[in-house]
């Protein structure tokens, strides 16, 4: 599947870090990132980032925002960005999808007991999402799979989730997606209804017999989707979307005959 990625660049880490620009790159438009990750000085890092942003702009490899311009993302901090690259203490750190600083000079760092939560400067004062009664807040926690789905409407988001759940895993799949798929049987089939008026995705899961105890675990796993592809708001603001999960009974395939065939993995409808 062809995907794009979002990137932010900083000097330093924490609330006082200096933003050096951002890029929304097309798939496979990552030439130069490896060199940036190997920078060993602030000046070298700044020069490489500036060169990378100008090259991506000239090559039309994506949408580029230079420092001094308006913050490009609808999310207010870099927690919603796929990859955040920051030069700090003589080395380049990378945080992937708002999780933690998991890469140092391009090398993976396992999680440790004393890691501090990610803190970024505010790129904007409010959440820029519209049309879904979004609350004005910078306190949100953005899901690790939000990234390149931030422009999707509910129907497009449903299609993306179906592909992520039922398609073959691609190289470099986010850990959060691998963990979700691990909780779902590969033999399951899904009917998803996108209800735009309720801003809700309704999942009906096929493949379990009535009373199967594993069905409850599947419903619980699907209920985590809003936190992965959207946001959670400690102050009680509305989510990006809600999920309802139902386990189909043994005869339910009669209304979705395509799902009677075990080779058919998913179907999406809209109200």
């Amino acid at each position: 599947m062809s995907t794009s990625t979002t990137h932010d660049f900083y000097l330093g880490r924490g609330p006082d870090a200096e933003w050096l620009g951002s890029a929304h790159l097309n798939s496979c438009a990552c030439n130069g990132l490896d060199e940036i990750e190997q920078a060993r000085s602030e000046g070298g890092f700044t020069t490489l980032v500036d060169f990378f942003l100008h090259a991506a702009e000239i090559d039309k490899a994506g949408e580029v925002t230079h420092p001094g311009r308006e913050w490009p993302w609808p999310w207010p901090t870099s927690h919603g960005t796929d990859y955040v690259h920051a030069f700090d203490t003589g080395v380049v750190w990378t945080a992937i999808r708002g999780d933690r600083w998991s890469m140092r000079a391009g090398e993976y760092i396992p999680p440790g007991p004393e890691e501090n939560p990610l803190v970024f400067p505010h790129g904007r004062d409010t959440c820029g999402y519209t049309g879904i009664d979004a609350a004005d807040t910078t306190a949100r926690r953005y899901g690790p799979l939000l990234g390149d789905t931030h422009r999707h409407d509910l129907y497009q988001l449903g299609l993306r989730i179906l592909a992520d759940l039922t398609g073959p895993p691609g190289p470099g799949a986010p850990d959060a997606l691998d963990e979700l798929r691990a909780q779902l049987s590969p033999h399951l089939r899904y009917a998803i209804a996108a209800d735009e008026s309720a801003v809700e995705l309704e999942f009906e899961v096929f493949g379990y017999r009535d009373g199967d105890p594993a069905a409850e675990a599947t419903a619980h796993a699907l209920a985590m989707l809003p936190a992965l592809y959207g946001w959670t708001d400690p102050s009680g603001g509305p989510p990006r979307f809600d999920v309802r999960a139902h386990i189909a009974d043994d005869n339910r395939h009669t209304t979705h005959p395509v799902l009677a065939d075990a080779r058919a993995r998913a179907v999406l409808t809209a109200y």
Side-chain angles (χ1 to χ4, degrees), residues 2-9 22-34 36 49 52-65 73 81-83 85 147-148 150-151:
S2 176
T3 60
S4 59
T5 54
T6 54
H7 299 257
D8 292 330
F9 301 90
S22 300
H24 188 179
L25 300 178
N26 304 330
S27 59
C28 304
C30 296
N31 293 335
L33 286 175
D34 289 344
I36 288 174
V49 169
F52 176 81
L53 294 176
H54 279 94
E57 198 169 35
I58 293 170
D59 295 339
K60 298 182 179 179
E63 301 173 30
V64 170
T65 304
W73 314 125
T81 303
D82 290 325
Y83 296 89
H85 314 272
D148 61 350
H150 75 272
R151 296 179 177 174

Side-chain angles (χ1 to χ4, degrees), residues 9-220:
F9 301 90
Y10 291 94
L11 272 182
R13 293 181 291 170
D16 298 322
E18 179 185 354
W19 176 54
L20 300 180
S22 300
H24 188 179
L25 300 178
N26 304 330
S27 59
C28 304
C30 296
N31 293 335
L33 286 175
D34 289 344
E35 190 174 1
I36 288 174
E37 290 174 347
Q38 301 306 315
R40 290 294 182 267
S41 69
E42 287 190 5
F45 179 75
T46 301
T47 298
L48 288 170
V49 169
D50 184 65
F51 179 81
F52 176 81
L53 294 176
H54 279 94
E57 198 169 35
I58 293 170
D59 295 339
K60 298 182 179 179
E63 301 173 30
V64 170
T65 304
H66 296 281
R69 298 183 185 174
E70 185 178 353
W71 179 250
W73 314 125
W75 47 82
T77 74
S78 289
H79 288 92
T81 303
D82 290 325
Y83 296 89
V84 182
H85 314 272
F87 187 86
D88 188 34
T89 61
V91 71
V92 177
W93 302 78
T94 302
I96 302 176
R97 298 175 180 87
D99 184 13
R100 61 187 185 86
W101 296 110
S102 59
M103 305 285 287
R104 183 174 57 208
E107 298 295 327
Y108 175 73
I109 302 173
E114 298 182 358
E115 286 186 328
N116 294 321
L118 288 183
V119 179
F120 296 111
H122 285 163
R124 58 187 298 157
D125 293 331
T126 62
C127 177
Y129 286 95
T130 59
I132 48 178
D133 197 29
D136 289 339
T137 177
T138 57
R140 282 197 173 109
R141 173 66 178 174
Y142 291 88
L145 303 180
L146 175 72
D148 61 350
T149 73
H150 75 272
R151 296 179 177 174
H152 292 0
D153 61 26
L154 192 64
Y155 189 86
Q156 292 171 318
L157 182 61
L159 286 173
R160 171 58 183 268
I161 291 174
L162 276 179
D164 285 349
L165 295 183
T166 63
D175 290 344
L177 181 56
D178 289 338
E179 292 169 6
L180 175 62
R181 290 170 62 105
Q183 299 178 60
L184 304 172
S185 167
H187 305 295
L188 296 177
R189 303 180 296 283
Y190 306 91
I192 302 184
D195 184 351
E196 293 186 344
S197 62
V199 197
E200 182 177 73
L201 292 176
E202 180 180 309
F203 284 75
E204 191 164 16
V205 183
F206 295 73
Y208 287 119
R209 294 184 178 275
D210 289 351
D212 193 325
E216 184 175 347
T218 293
H220 176 74

